[in-house]
Amino acid sequence: MTLGRRLVRVASPLAALGVWQLLTSLDVNLWLRFEQFPTVVEVASALADRIGTEAYWQDLGHSLRRIALGFLLAAVLGVAAGTAVARSRWAADVLGPLVEVVRPIPAIALVPVAILLLPTNEQGIVFITCAAALFPVLVSTRHAVRALDPAWEEAVLTLGGGRARVLFSVVLPGSLPGIFGGLSVGIGVAWICVISAEMISGEYGVGYRTWQDYTVVDYPGVFVGMATIGVLGRLTSTAVEALGRRVTAWLPRPSERGADVPSRAPGSPADAAPTRAAVVVPVPVPEKEPVP
């Protein structure tokens, strides 16, 4: 990344904070009522006070534990179910209709189900977090597995490999980019729902503390909670993306694909009249149907 892009990425949030401070300090009221907002200085002061308290770090620990448990469960179940639906007609017939019916239901709407089904609020929040992240992972895995080139599987079978070898040597490695795309989406959705669940039925956590600040009209505290949620979401999403790049380091990157193409001088015969051998027509690979 160039220095100019780095400077833009740093200047963008600083400019937003500057506009926020200007509008709130001047009590601007042009349809949007900024006079009721706390200033950046007030929020920063409240954050400095909160960081020095044990309750702040206790809330962070509760929210991070809930995210870790719910997201890991969603990752394991989503990858397993998505692969099964894509590879097996039986799994597609049994699980496919259930997935398509349950998937449109917002995870936060499952709070009553969690309260009735599970014995503790803690387990209910983890359940809601898992449900939120499950379907992005499952659907992305399903599409990634079905989009694999059938020639790879046929090559393994021709060399004497069995279905287990195909699964672990072709299907899962080839689907990793799509799987991590679903994981990246899932971690963001999980944060949305864990905070909402903590506001409704939690006893500790960033969401619970933010709602408590709102009920006592502590608006700087509310914005401290919002900022904390944003930073935590950004850090966890970056961690998932970094893990994805590390696990798929063996794949060619867009910047590497054109590295071996030799450059030609403008106006050369190759530019004026390309031969038939030089013309490559991409052939789309259809999604593979699941096997019985």
Side-chain angles (χ1 to χ4, degrees):
M1 185 183 298
T2 63
L3 178 60
R5 291 188 63 191
R6 292 181 184 274
L7 291 176
V8 169
R9 293 195 174 198
V10 173
S12 175
L14 292 178
L17 291 176
V19 172
W20 176 4
Q21 176 66 25
L22 181 65
L23 293 173
T24 52
S25 61
L26 296 178
D27 291 337
V28 174
N29 188 358
L30 297 175
W31 185 58
L32 296 176
R33 301 174 296 177
F34 288 99
E35 78 274 7
Q36 299 187 11
F37 264 47
T39 65
V40 176
V41 175
E42 292 172 344
V43 175
S45 176
L47 176 61
D49 294 338
R50 290 288 180 88
I51 288 178
T53 63
E54 182 181 354
Y56 179 82
W57 298 105
Q58 187 181 39
D59 289 333
L60 255 66
H62 280 83
S63 294
L64 286 173
R65 185 179 70 248
R66 291 160 178 167
I67 277 287
L69 291 175
F71 182 70
L72 288 176
L73 284 172
V76 173
L77 295 176
V79 172
T83 303
V85 170
R87 297 281 299 171
S88 169
R89 290 198 186 105
W90 183 84
D93 293 339
V94 172
L95 296 179
L98 296 176
V99 168
E100 296 306 320
V101 169
V102 178
R103 184 162 65 100
I105 301 174
I108 198 61
L110 299 176
V111 168
V113 176
I115 293 174
L116 295 173
L117 187 64
L118 299 168
T120 65
N121 288 342
E122 187 71 18
Q123 295 174 355
I125 294 173
V126 172
F127 167 78
I128 293 168
T129 306
C130 175
L134 174 65
F135 293 107
V137 178
L138 190 156
V139 173
S140 296
T141 302
R142 182 184 65 187
H143 287 303
V145 172
R146 286 182 177 176
L148 290 175
D149 191 342
W152 298 353
E153 179 178 348
E154 293 170 0
V156 174
L157 294 176
T158 301
L159 294 174
R163 299 188 68 174
R165 185 62 181 269
V166 170
L167 177 64
F168 291 105
S169 297
V170 174
V171 175
L172 292 180
S175 305
L176 282 177
I179 291 173
F180 273 96
L183 291 174
S184 182
V185 175
I187 190 67
V189 179
W191 269 112
I192 294 172
C193 289
V194 73
I195 296 300
S196 302
E198 287 176 348
M199 289 181 175
I200 296 173
S201 61
E203 296 179 0
Y204 299 100
V206 179
Y208 169 80
R209 193 66 56 189
T210 302
W211 183 253
Q212 292 301 309
D213 290 333
Y214 173 74
T215 58
V216 297
V217 199
D218 182 7
Y219 293 131
V222 172
F223 279 86
V224 167
M226 293 169 60
T228 302
I229 296 164
V231 172
L232 291 176
R234 172 64 175 174
L235 290 177
T236 51
S237 178
T238 301
V240 170
E241 293 174 359
L243 178 62
R245 288 192 296 269
R246 189 175 187 85
V247 172
T248 61
W250 52 275
L251 290 172
R253 303 299 176 187
S255 59
E256 300 171 356
R257 290 171 184 167
D260 297 330
V261 179
S263 59
R264 295 193 298 265
S268 63
D271 287 332
T275 61
R276 181 181 298 272
V279 178
V280 179
V281 179
V283 179
V285 179
E287 289 190 348
K288 185 177 179 181
E289 290 293 330
V291 297

